[in-house]
Amino acid sequence: MSSHPPSSGDVRALYEEFPYPLPNSGTEPIYDVAMGLDLVLPSLDDCQVMDAGCGTGHRLVGLALQYPDTEFLGVDFSEHSLSVARELAKNHECDNVSFRHAEIGGEHLGRDFDLITSTGVIHHLADPAGGAAWLQQHLKRDGIAYTWYYHPYGEFDRLLSRRLVHTLMDHSVEDISKTVLADLGLALSVEQYGTRTSFAEVSAETQLAADADAYLHPIVNAYRFQEAADFFRDGTDWTVVHGINWDGGSSLIDSDHWAEGEFGTLASSDLFQSGRLREVFAGMPPEVQLDCVELRLRPTGFTLLSGNEAGLDRCTAQTRANVRNANLLRMSAC
């Protein structure tokens, strides 16, 4: 039975056994972050980019291939994951990406970045606030942070199942970690976060890595939009919701175009079929509109963008509109 609170060492041990997001270098890169960034920053030319908690590097290599003239650094504390990442980069002839063994929240890396991506990492840290502060300490004054989190509304059932798994493991006299998921019939759906992009190669090995991350992970937190944004109050001027994921769908947020919705962005008609309710929604303050999005769609995850005023000129009009309308750092924590 477990007798101590989970630590970063426990998290590292999980990823040494189950490298994530894809467990081997023979698979294809994942391009969801690369596609999402295209609608945030029109250019990454001459930029320094860090992927904090890059894992096996599949999203990082996807970025490096999308932006061959940009320098990328992947940071992770799992040697096994980094070995997969290095081999993946070699397989795809990425000479604009390098890797460093380091822990988020540890010593400063001695350099700052124009862009930091960190997807699905902060919510797994023993000290999430400290990890978010570490990211902000590595941003240039006009730098942008791109972070992704679990949301408690859409993840409610999964997190209950995870708690059951850990309760059973903690009270078993033998190690049942290799069999408990099969015994309970638990497997993460490929549609849990809206698309199959993170399941680019659906194999038994890939499914096992996803299931281990979903149900065996020793540390899992989930946040509402405002709760995650509050991590960035001390080091940035603005934080906005960029995109949301839910079971079977995903969309970007464009708070200037709720009524009609642009391509790939959420519209009020996606929330309410009733024209009467859409009119009510249109008259709400931006923070209440975001509350409605959470309550109506019950996201499984979401992406935040964070930065300072100096970085806004680098961003797209859509991002600037979101900052103008719905900067979560202007709002009180719920």
Side-chain angles (χ1 to χ4, degrees):
M1 294 173 60
S2 176
S3 60
H4 63 86
S7 66
S8 62
D10 297 317
V11 176
R12 183 186 295 110
L14 178 83
Y15 289 128
E16 293 295 351
E17 184 173 3
F18 301 102
Y20 188 81
L22 297 176
N24 66 70
S25 60
T27 49
E28 289 299 308
I30 299 172
Y31 291 95
D32 52 358
V33 173
M35 292 185 292
L37 280 173
D38 192 47
L39 298 171
V40 177
L41 297 168
S43 173
L44 287 181
D45 291 348
D46 301 319
C47 284
Q48 305 283 312
V49 181
M50 173 171 64
D51 187 11
C54 68
T56 57
H58 285 77
R59 288 186 169 87
L60 177 56
V61 170
L63 274 169
L65 292 172
Q66 182 86 352
Y67 298 97
D69 298 323
T70 302
E71 181 182 346
F72 294 90
L73 173 68
V75 172
D76 205 88
F77 68 173
S78 165
E79 290 283 13
H80 191 175
S81 295
L82 286 174
S83 69
V84 174
R86 292 187 178 100
E87 187 66 25
L88 180 73
K90 180 180 177 181
N91 290 347
H92 290 274
E93 300 180 349
C94 283
D95 57 5
N96 59 327
V97 60
S98 59
F99 299 93
R100 181 166 173 176
H101 183 254
E103 186 164 358
I104 296 172
E107 294 184 1
H108 195 282
L109 300 180
R111 54 187 290 200
D112 297 331
F113 298 87
D114 299 278
L115 171 69
I116 297 176
T117 62
S118 188
T119 57
V121 177
I122 290 176
H123 54 224
H124 285 317
L125 299 179
D127 179 12
W134 188 86
L135 298 186
Q136 293 164 78
Q137 291 160 10
H138 285 81
L139 277 179
K140 293 181 180 179
R141 184 61 187 165
D142 60 350
I144 307 296
Y146 180 108
T147 54
W148 187 91
Y149 309 85
Y150 295 138
H151 196 290
Y153 293 173
E155 293 281 61
F156 184 77
D157 288 342
R158 179 183 72 84
L159 294 179
L160 283 182
S161 294
R162 174 192 169 273
R163 184 172 178 180
L164 173 60
V165 167
H166 283 263
T167 299
L168 291 167
M169 291 195 303
D170 288 347
H171 289 80
S172 174
V173 295
E174 58 181 301
D175 181 5
I176 60 171
S177 60
K178 301 293 190 299
T179 59
V180 63
L181 299 186
D183 288 342
L184 290 172
L186 292 174
L188 190 70
S189 167
V190 296
E191 299 292 331
Q192 181 76 4
Y193 304 107
T195 68
R196 294 168 64 105
T197 48
S198 60
F199 282 80
E201 303 286 339
V202 183
S203 65
E205 189 181 20
T206 298
Q207 185 69 54
L208 179 60
D211 292 343
D213 189 70
Y215 300 107
L216 299 181
H217 205 294
I219 300 176
V220 176
N221 297 290
Y223 305 104
R224 291 191 60 196
F225 299 158
Q226 186 67 68
E227 292 169 335
D230 284 339
F231 288 139
F232 291 85
R233 285 193 178 277
D234 292 337
T236 57
D237 296 328
W238 54 265
T239 292
V240 295
V241 181
H242 174 60
I244 58 172
N245 309 88
W246 62 91
D247 189 359
S250 59
S251 191
L252 300 177
I253 298 294
D254 184 352
S255 57
D256 256 359
H257 298 93
W258 285 118
E260 65 274 24
E262 299 293 324
F263 176 76
T265 64
L266 191 69
S268 56
S269 57
D270 298 321
L271 301 172
F272 306 109
Q273 292 185 348
S274 164
R276 181 167 53 250
L277 294 182
R278 291 198 295 272
E279 289 182 9
V280 173
F281 179 82
M284 292 176 174
E287 63 270 25
V288 182
Q289 289 177 326
L290 289 178
D291 286 344
C292 282
V293 170
E294 290 181 294
L295 293 166
R296 182 65 168 169
L297 291 181
R298 301 178 185 180
T300 51
F302 61 98
T303 304
L304 292 184
L305 302 176
S306 305
N308 289 305
E309 291 296 330
L312 278 178
D313 288 343
R314 308 175 68 170
C315 296
T316 60
Q318 179 176 308
T319 299
R320 293 196 298 271
N322 286 339
V323 172
R324 180 177 65 250
N325 297 331
N327 177 5
L328 289 167
L329 300 190
R330 288 198 300 258
M331 304 172 189
S332 300
C334 298

